[in-house]
Amino acid sequence: MTEIAYRIRRSDRARGVRVTVDPEQGVEVVLPRRASEGAARSAVRELTPWIERQQRRQAEARAHVAPSAGSVPYLGQELRLSPQPGRTRVHRRGDELLVPEGDYRPALERWYRRRAHAEVAPRLDAVCAALGRPYSRLTIRAQRTRWASCSADGAMSFNWRLLLAPDEVLDYVVWHEACHLIVRDHSPRFWSLVAQHRPGYKAQVAWLRRHGAGLHL
């Protein structure tokens, strides 16, 4: 059996052993503060088939959404990367992204975060106006397990990686969260409201389930 590499994270809130598989961070085992490291080894050994299935699924998702070499996806487009010596910030010029030479990924992620706010804000404003329900604030994050969220006080949070998906997927997620301003849960009433405004939403849900794990730089 293949030895699976993993890292351990201790948590005072953990009540048991939890194993996660992240496309970027790899396999993580969360342990209660007093649990032994042997509990992590046992959990990984027991869950090896599941871990390997998750890794294969994530690899397939990455392969599906991966653009051609030297480019990155942006709402269904491909933007070509052009490294430039001395550059510290990413700048878009048509279908070209001017990026720092060397390790440009931190600067590229910052650019995506800025663009995520610029892309989401007008869509969210328009959707909330159509629904007649205002939101309180908008933040852009890098959530590990969610694409977006809507709090009880109307605060909206969106994952910048949505910009790596097709444009219609981002539109769906915006509508999804805005509909939570009216219906907090995922009851039939909620999905009926989403379907009223996004009749083809199930295609976007299916796309995210199948390919969402591949939305990484």
Side-chain angles (χ1 to χ4, degrees), residues 172-194:
Y172 155 69
V173 176
V174 170
W175 273 105
H176 181 116
E177 296 307 325
C179 284
H180 277 312
L181 294 169
I182 298 175
V183 184
R184 292 293 307 163
D185 55 29
H186 288 103
S187 63
R189 178 170 169 249
F190 169 80
W191 290 113
S192 176
L193 182 62
V194 173

Side-chain angles (χ1 to χ4, degrees), residues 91-159:
H91 175 72
R92 180 174 179 178
R93 186 172 61 192
D95 292 334
E96 183 181 32
L97 280 183
L98 309 180
V99 300
E101 200 171 43
D103 184 11
Y104 55 77
R105 288 181 184 273
L108 186 57
E109 179 175 331
R110 290 192 295 271
W111 180 82
Y112 269 101
R113 285 175 179 263
R114 294 193 298 272
R115 290 306 308 159
H117 195 284
E119 292 283 0
V120 171
R123 298 171 196 241
L124 188 59
D125 289 343
V127 168
C128 288
L131 293 174
R133 295 293 180 92
Y135 65 96
S136 59
R137 63 185 182 277
L138 169 64
T139 57
I140 302 298
R141 297 180 180 176
Q143 301 98 314
R144 292 182 61 183
T145 58
R146 290 187 177 186
W147 294 115
S149 63
C150 173
S151 69
D153 66 353
M156 297 286 189
S157 176
F158 288 82
N159 195 319

